[in-house]
Amino acid sequence: MSIVKINALTVPDEQREVLEQRFASRAGSVENSDGFEWFELLRPVEGTDQYLVYTRWRSEEDFQAWMEGPMKAAHQGGAPAGGEGGAERPKPAATGSSVWSFEVVQQAAPKQG
């Protein structure tokens, strides 16, 4: 079965909109990656200041290939989202982050019809 990676991002209130806009502008950046199955950005409602970035992958190898290829390139080079080439990269919206890894052992979907 699939694997799940959850990146827990600590985001101060004043940076929430910035974070959400940055994720909105990255639309399409992971969807065509081999082995990619799902993405969700989860906004905290109460009790925490952590956003959760949920991705599901066919295998650990597919996730690692994305991390070493497209993900690494997006975070190291090129212009920032919406910026011009050579422009200074913006500061991160999150003040902390940790990645949690899981294997999917059971799943369910709504019944059809």
Side-chain angles (χ1 to χ4, degrees):
M1 283 204 167
S2 305
I3 62 140
V4 170
K5 300 292 182 172
I6 299 173
N7 191 355
L9 301 172
T10 303
V11 182
D13 286 344
E14 65 275 8
Q15 290 294 326
R16 285 179 164 211
E17 187 174 334
V18 171
L19 180 86
E20 290 179 22
Q21 287 175 352
R22 287 181 185 168
F23 270 94
S25 70
R26 53 113 331 261
S29 66
V30 70
E31 287 87 334
N32 294 321
S33 297
D34 193 38
F36 169 78
E37 296 178 350
W38 199 259
F39 161 85
E40 290 179 323
L41 175 62
L42 306 176
R43 177 192 301 137
V45 176
E46 60 182 312
T48 185
D49 59 354
Q50 289 189 313
Y51 276 72
L52 299 181
V53 182
Y54 173 100
T55 57
R56 190 174 68 216
W57 298 86
R58 178 179 53 208
S59 69
E60 179 68 26
E61 293 76 20
D62 290 322
F63 172 74
Q64 291 301 328
W66 175 71
M67 286 290 292
E68 291 302 314
M71 174 69 162
K72 190 174 188 177
H75 280 83
Q76 287 184 346
E84 297 297 322
E88 184 177 320
R89 292 188 59 79
K91 292 181 180 179
T95 59
S97 140
S98 61
V99 177
W100 306 333
S101 300
F102 299 89
E103 291 179 327
V104 176
V105 293
Q106 294 183 24
Q107 61 187 22
K111 292 184 179 183
Q112 300 298 319

